[in-house]
Amino acid sequence: MFDRRTLLALGLIAVIFALWAFFFMPKPASRPPAPQQTAQSQSQQTGQAPAQTPAPPPQAPAPAAPAPVTPARYSALASGAGHYVTIETPHYKAMLNTRGALLARMELKNYKAWYGAPVQLINDSAGFPGVLALNFTGADGRPVSTENLIYTVDAPENIRLGDKDSAVVVARLTLGGTTDSAKAAAPVIEKRFVFHGDSYGVGLDVAFKNMAGELAATNPSYELTWRDGLKYQEHNSMEESAKSDAVVAVNGDHTQVDWHDVGKSHEEKFAGNVEWVGVHVKYFGAAIIPQKPIANGSASVDAIATSADSSGTVEHYTLSIAASAAGGNVSQHFTVFAGPMEYDVVHDLGITPMIALGNSITRPISEFILLPLFRFLHSFIGNWGLVIIVFSLIIRIVLWPLSIPQIRSSRKMQLLQPKIAELREQFANDQQRQQMETMKVYREYGINPMGGCLPMVLQLPILYALYNTLSTAIDLRQTQFALWIHDLSVPDYIVQLPWHLPLIGSSLSAMALIMGTTLFLQQRMMITDPKQKALVYLMPVMLTIAFTNLPSGLNLYYLTFNILAIGQQVYMTKFAKNQLTLEQMRAEAKNRKKGWLAQKMEQAQKMAEAQQKTQQGAAAKKVDGRTPVEQRKRS
């Protein structure tokens, strides 16, 4: 039915498809209903953030965190009502909660969530006060959180900044003293926020004054904490979870923490020179970055995953960065980032590992070659879809030398197919002889059965780097191309099925179907061996399934790449001046120096031939069904 080459090819395809499905293929999307828009109705006197656009249904709430520990001596600071300070810039609208001096909201004005509301990064569920809480161990050895204590903030409730403007908001917490003289010597915690109109980075100075009596006597320190990660913004929670994780940079290296076991918590601790900690979803991120690495510091990540209504998961990460408070009088400057993971933005902050551009082999290709080229093209081509098409053309030209051996190998096999068919017919009942004669013909005409595989393998790092580049580029998010493609960052579903299929889901992508068709045409052009006919149908079907849930921008790239490959193949086989012939192949084989693989194949062939001759000789010497040795034994 199938020869060994076909079976090997089928096996390799199955393995590649399984690996692709396990590591890369997005899960079928399950779009939840859009949330209802609600007006601001909560009173600011409650100390809770006003109710704004709620999270979409699949945004599962994080498990309730332990209540902040407020010692009795600070209870007076927890009573009363807090309020909010709103800072609006051309890029975002932020809200500070005076209870805990926390960042309660970060709404990005230039980006929208899948349901149309502006992207809001911070958990805004009921009872969640915000992020950037300060915690420390008290003199009695018990943990203390300032999350529930009301800071004094001398700033207007609404601050509006232009591109070139900046504003300073100081939040101060005095832990004692009722008279002016007593207050001057009282312990004070101060958080000084600096907002810039042209940046997503917020300056944060943390200062402890006269705090020696309030801190633990041994290794006094404090923690700055970002709790509960980031809100999901894309319609497919399963895909967003696949792109979400926490990153910790310590001692010149960074570690990725990716946790997706539902219902189970996980904690990782780090010690040394702490450079930054961050968390990100698919296109947005947040990070706490000390101005200088904190020597002998520590950091931690607490993670837990919860189930989403769309059968996916939501990953929650709480990040903490600790610094020494020895002596009770210390200050530390941080930059707090919360915004889009545009390459230039995160590069200027020194947190590029937050963008998932592949491993140590493919990341340099993505970061320093493909992404710059991609963005350069957009500098003079306004439509991102056209950028992808031109980008595909350039990559195809670059890979042209690697694809020539692959096409030539396919063409050689086509020319040799009649001879191979004759051998199969001649030795139909002797598979071993058939294989031996086939290898002889391959050697005579200089064909390496694996010759077309090496160029394909050499292309894999580039193709994987392309996948990472296009799947993480925020530039493609919610950008329209043409016709039915309204968002290059999501699949272009056009057919809704009445049932749910494994690996595909209930929707079919138009770009994946078209790409599968072009792949079918390409396979028909390359494969002429009747025994390999199954590959003509198998590869297009499997890759159409694999690509159905990929973003339409990625499928547009692969579709263009396939069409260009077909064009190259037609040109080389039909219109090139130097067309291959059997005579030319035989002459090239005689003059070509044998490589290592060819020598090994020839040695194996000679050994097989010798073994077959030995077996045939032994069979010919049998008399009455017995070998000469057996005859001597009987006599």
Side-chain angles (χ1 to χ4, degrees):
M1 184 177 177
F2 294 126
D3 61 10
R4 276 188 282 182
R5 292 184 67 245
T6 304
L7 292 174
L8 177 61
L10 290 172
L12 288 174
I13 291 171
V15 170
I16 292 172
F17 182 75
L19 292 174
W20 172 272
F22 182 79
F23 289 106
F24 305 117
M25 192 163 69
K27 303 297 181 184
S30 178
R31 181 187 291 269
Q36 299 293 321
Q37 304 291 320
T38 59
Q40 295 186 9
S41 58
Q42 270 185 289
S43 169
Q44 291 186 344
Q45 300 303 313
T46 64
Q48 294 184 352
Q52 306 235 349
T53 306
Q59 176 71 64
V69 179
T70 305
R73 62 184 182 278
Y74 302 146
S75 58
L77 297 172
S79 62
H83 67 277
Y84 290 87
V85 176
T86 301
I87 303 93
E88 185 171 358
T89 78
H91 300 288
Y92 61 82
K93 182 187 291 186
M95 293 182 67
L96 285 180
N97 185 354
T98 61
R99 184 176 293 278
L102 305 176
L103 186 62
R105 290 181 68 84
M106 178 58 81
E107 185 178 288
L108 307 184
K109 299 170 68 174
N110 300 323
Y111 297 91
K112 294 186 181 299
W114 67 266
Y115 49 89
V119 165
Q120 205 291 100
L121 296 177
I122 299 172
N123 183 350
D124 55 4
S125 58
F128 189 86
V131 297
L132 302 178
L134 278 176
N135 309 311
F136 60 90
T137 301
D140 57 1
R142 296 180 180 180
V144 176
S145 173
T146 67
E147 183 178 292
N148 200 38
L149 306 183
I150 297 177
Y151 284 65
T152 300
V153 178
D154 294 326
E157 290 191 355
N158 293 284
I159 301 172
R160 186 182 293 270
L161 302 177
D163 271 329
K164 304 299 181 183
D165 299 332
S166 61
V168 177
V169 178
V170 179
R172 185 175 289 105
L173 182 67
T174 303
L175 300 179
T178 55
T179 64
D180 290 342
S181 58
K183 287 182 178 180
V188 173
I189 298 174
E190 186 176 279
K191 297 166 79 172
R192 183 176 184 268
F193 296 88
V194 182
F195 298 89
H196 304 279
D198 60 351
S199 172
Y200 289 101
V202 177
L204 173 59
D205 292 312
V206 174
F208 278 27
K209 302 176 181 178
N210 304 322
M211 287 286 293
E214 304 294 321
L215 300 171
T218 304
N219 298 322
S221 63
Y222 66 88
E223 284 186 341
L224 182 62
T225 301
W226 184 291
R227 185 151 66 90
D228 198 28
L230 298 174
K231 287 182 62 177
Y232 282 15
Q233 306 298 330
E234 312 308 318
H235 79 286
N236 188 343
S237 65
M238 288 180 281
E239 182 183 358
E240 186 137 29
S241 287
K243 301 290 185 181
S244 302
D245 54 46
V247 186
V248 179
V250 177
N251 299 326
D253 196 10
H254 67 275
T255 301
Q256 177 180 330
V257 180
D258 187 11
W259 187 253
H260 45 264
D261 288 352
V262 175
K264 296 180 180 180
S265 61
H266 174 73
E267 181 182 17
E268 289 193 32
K269 295 181 178 293
F270 306 85
N273 295 327
V274 181
E275 297 163 19
W276 54 271
V277 296
V279 62
H280 68 85
V281 287
K282 185 174 183 180
Y283 293 115
F284 302 95
I288 302 174
I289 312 159
Q291 184 177 32
K292 295 180 180 179
I294 299 177
N296 301 317
S298 64
S300 65
V301 175
D302 291 290
I304 191 168
T306 55
S307 297
D309 294 342
S310 59
S311 302
T313 59
V314 178
E315 297 176 10
H316 307 267
Y317 296 98
T318 294
L319 316 174
S320 296
I321 188 168
S324 172
N329 291 281
V330 295
S331 64
Q332 176 73 46
H333 176 75
F334 300 91
T335 296
V336 177
F337 163 73
M341 288 200 299
E342 298 176 5
Y343 183 81
D344 290 342
V345 172
V346 297
H347 179 268
D348 291 343
L349 293 170
I351 54 174
T352 52
M354 292 262 286
I355 302 180
L357 291 175
N359 55 35
S360 59
I361 297 175
T362 60
R363 186 180 183 90
I365 301 174
S366 299
E367 186 171 359
F368 303 118
I369 300 176
L370 300 181
L371 188 59
L373 173 61
F374 193 57
R375 304 185 72 188
F376 168 74
L377 291 174
H378 188 251
S379 65
F380 55 87
I381 302 176
N383 187 301
W384 277 107
L386 294 178
V387 169
I388 291 174
I389 292 173
V390 175
F391 186 72
S392 303
L393 176 60
I394 293 173
I395 297 302
R396 189 68 205 179
I397 292 173
V398 171
L399 295 179
W400 182 285
L402 290 177
S403 60
I404 289 176
Q406 187 178 354
I407 295 175
R408 283 178 60 87
S409 178
S410 173
R411 181 57 177 162
K412 287 179 179 180
M413 293 298 296
Q414 290 176 352
L415 291 173
L416 210 58
Q417 189 55 43
K419 290 185 177 294
I420 301 299
E422 291 178 5
L423 291 175
R424 286 174 178 165
E425 185 176 352
Q426 183 178 355
F427 303 103
N429 298 322
D430 190 345
Q431 290 295 320
Q432 186 176 5
R433 181 69 183 277
Q434 183 185 123
Q435 292 291 333
M436 289 170 54
E437 295 299 328
T438 300
M439 296 306 296
K440 279 184 180 180
V441 172
Y442 284 166
R443 290 202 307 273
E444 181 181 355
Y445 289 93
I447 290 181
N448 179 0
M450 303 298 291
C453 297
L454 181 59
M456 190 162 49
V457 171
L458 293 176
Q459 294 178 49
L460 289 180
I462 299 176
L463 296 178
Y464 179 52
L466 278 167
Y467 170 81
N468 288 321
T469 301
L470 296 180
S471 63
T472 58
I474 193 174
D475 312 76
L476 298 182
R477 186 178 185 269
Q478 297 180 353
T479 57
Q480 186 172 353
F481 172 42
L483 301 175
W484 68 90
I485 302 177
H486 304 295
D487 187 347
L488 288 167
S489 69
V490 299
D492 58 320
Y493 297 132
I494 61 166
V495 178
Q496 294 295 324
L497 302 175
W499 55 83
H500 189 280
L501 297 176
L503 299 179
I504 294 179
S506 58
S507 303
L508 293 178
S509 160
M511 292 297 292
L513 292 172
I514 297 172
M515 192 212 66
T517 303
T518 62
L519 186 59
F520 170 74
L521 296 174
Q522 186 181 21
Q523 292 292 99
R524 285 200 63 179
M525 293 170 60
M526 294 181 66
I527 299 176
T528 58
D529 186 348
K531 288 199 172 185
Q532 298 182 26
K533 189 176 180 179
L535 298 178
V536 175
Y537 302 95
L538 185 62
M539 279 288 288
V541 170
M542 294 180 71
L543 289 182
T544 298
I545 293 173
F547 282 63
T548 288
N549 293 299
L550 288 182
S552 56
L554 267 170
N555 281 337
L556 176 61
Y557 167 81
Y558 288 119
L559 171 62
T560 307
F561 198 80
N562 265 2
I563 293 173
L564 294 172
I566 292 173
Q568 181 186 9
Q569 188 169 349
V570 170
Y571 169 75
M572 290 186 62
T573 56
K574 302 293 185 182
F575 302 105
K577 293 182 179 180
N578 299 321
Q579 292 292 326
L580 277 173
T581 63
L582 290 176
E583 291 76 13
Q584 180 185 353
M585 290 165 55
R586 182 184 292 171
E588 289 179 355
K590 288 181 180 180
N591 298 327
R592 183 184 303 148
K593 183 179 179 181
K594 294 179 181 178
W596 177 84
L597 182 58
Q599 292 176 7
K600 293 298 181 183
M601 289 178 63
E602 186 172 350
Q603 292 174 8
Q605 181 67 23
K606 290 180 179 179
M607 290 175 62
E609 290 175 356
Q611 183 179 6
Q612 187 178 34
K613 289 180 180 179
T614 301
Q615 292 173 351
Q616 291 174 350
K621 291 179 181 178
K622 283 191 176 183
V623 178
D624 297 329
R626 294 173 295 161
T627 65
V629 174
E630 290 172 334
Q631 295 177 31
R632 286 196 298 272
K633 285 183 178 179
R634 290 195 177 185
S635 63

